[in-house]
Amino acid sequence: MVMANSPQMPQSKFPTAISVSYYRGIGKLVDLNRKNIWETFTKDIKPLIHQYRTQMDSGLFVVDLEGILSKIMTLLQKARELSGQFIFTSETINKLAGSFVKSINASQRDTFRNQMKTVQGIDPIGRETWLESFMDSAVNENVSWIKSIDQDYHDKIQTIVLQGVRRGKSINEMGAEITKASGASKSRAKFIARDQAGSILGDLTKTRHTQAGIDKFTWRDSDDERVRDTHADLDGNVFTWKDGATVKGRQIWPGTDYNCRCTADPVIE
């Protein structure tokens, strides 16, 4: 007899609250970074830009133009270093990523335990020798993702300011581009939080299911307007962990597609 996702079995849910909390944590760092850059731009770099323009317009070239650009570059580099020392610090990033991964693991473990106890009356969680290396890998990956937000942001700011000065853009134009870059960092943080929540959840689910001898799962989408049509078509269908589902010629599993919020419920035979 196959007891597949009976009404008594708790369904797996995407860890939205954990994802949002992770995004907010990264977002706070992004906001501090934006404040740091904006102060540097308005208080220190803006006067140098005016000085550069004045020398260009006078034609006297009393001050070395490349020297002014060098000073601007030094200020941008200092802002980048301050970010690494006081905002996107190794301690802060590791703590943020570690808490996120631990929360996803605890959520998935509890859900799977409840599902199995409901259907079979057993606790399926044994000695998970694979878990430590999995957690370390997931934390390291997320540390890299968070660092990339900081690095890419400062790269964009450097390009905006230096190219803006050379191409004669106004202070307001450069300011608008800096604001846009800050918004893009927040958007990227939101994408990473959601994408990684789905990816880690999916990997944990697959590993725990197969370790417990469960070969099949029922695909569950997030049941809202943001679900893509290709994933909505998979909802409620049973697949094997070995083969997964095929979408547009690609093999996918819940959480492996970009920004996927789908989950998997065990099929108990």
Side-chain angles (χ1 to χ4, degrees):
M1 178 177 63
V2 179
M3 294 176 290
N5 309 306
S6 63
Q8 298 87 354
M9 176 185 286
Q11 286 193 5
S12 301
K13 299 293 184 182
F14 182 81
T16 301
I18 298 173
S19 173
V20 170
S21 177
Y22 188 40
Y23 159 64
R24 287 175 177 169
I26 302 174
K28 288 180 181 179
L29 303 183
V30 172
D31 287 339
L32 288 172
N33 220 7
R34 175 194 55 78
K35 182 179 178 181
N36 178 38
I37 281 292
W38 192 248
E39 289 181 353
T40 298
F41 179 72
T42 56
K43 294 181 180 180
D44 301 321
I45 295 179
K46 185 177 176 180
L48 289 173
I49 295 175
H50 286 309
Q51 187 179 1
Y52 183 92
R53 299 272 165 80
T54 299
Q55 293 303 315
M56 283 287 292
D57 294 340
S58 69
L60 298 176
F61 299 100
V62 175
V63 178
D64 178 25
L65 294 181
E66 288 302 319
I68 296 176
L69 290 177
S70 179
K71 289 180 181 179
I72 293 174
M73 184 65 188
T74 298
L75 288 169
L76 291 172
Q77 182 60 35
K78 183 179 179 181
R80 185 191 294 262
E81 292 172 357
L82 287 174
S83 177
Q85 293 171 356
F86 300 105
I87 302 173
F88 283 82
T89 67
S90 295
E91 181 181 359
T92 298
I93 294 173
N94 276 279
K95 184 178 180 180
L96 191 59
S99 177
F100 169 66
V101 174
K102 287 178 181 178
S103 295
I104 296 289
N105 174 59
S107 175
Q108 196 285 324
R109 181 190 60 219
D110 291 346
T111 296
F112 184 42
R113 178 178 282 137
N114 290 337
Q115 289 172 329
M116 295 297 286
K117 282 186 174 181
T118 298
V119 176
Q120 292 190 327
I122 63 171
D123 185 344
I125 308 299
R127 184 170 176 266
E128 300 179 319
T129 57
W130 52 271
L131 185 59
E132 183 177 355
S133 60
F134 178 95
M135 298 285 283
D136 289 343
S137 176
V139 170
N140 290 335
E141 182 179 357
N142 276 268
V143 165
S144 295
W145 279 120
I146 298 173
K147 285 183 177 179
S148 73
I149 294 176
D150 183 41
Q151 293 165 356
D152 290 349
Y153 177 68
H154 284 282
D155 288 343
K156 288 179 182 177
I157 298 302
Q158 179 176 313
T159 299
I160 289 169
V161 174
L162 294 182
Q163 285 188 356
V165 173
R166 289 194 175 101
R167 295 175 181 177
K169 290 186 177 181
S170 69
I171 297 294
N172 288 339
E173 285 177 311
M174 284 185 271
E177 290 182 14
I178 290 173
T179 299
K180 185 178 179 180
S182 300
S185 292
K186 291 289 283 287
S187 297
R188 187 165 180 225
K190 181 178 290 186
F191 174 85
I192 288 173
R194 186 182 299 155
D195 182 71
Q196 284 296 296
S199 176
I200 295 171
L201 176 70
D203 289 342
L204 285 167
T205 302
K206 181 180 180 181
T207 303
R208 285 200 167 105
H209 280 200
T210 54
Q211 288 286 318
I214 298 170
D215 299 323
K216 299 177 182 178
F217 67 92
T218 301
W219 192 291
R220 299 294 184 193
D221 68 23
S222 293
D223 195 27
D224 59 32
E225 68 281 356
R226 291 183 295 168
V227 176
R228 67 198 85 176
D229 292 340
T230 52
H231 288 199
D233 291 340
L234 302 175
D235 184 53
N237 291 304
V238 175
F239 302 94
T240 66
W241 281 116
K242 178 182 178 182
D243 298 324
T246 301
V247 174
K248 296 182 178 179
R250 298 181 298 113
Q251 277 185 303
I252 65 169
W253 290 263
T256 60
D257 220 351
Y258 74 93
N259 220 10
C260 177
R261 295 174 297 126
C262 296
T263 58
D265 285 337
V267 173
I268 312 300
E269 295 186 333

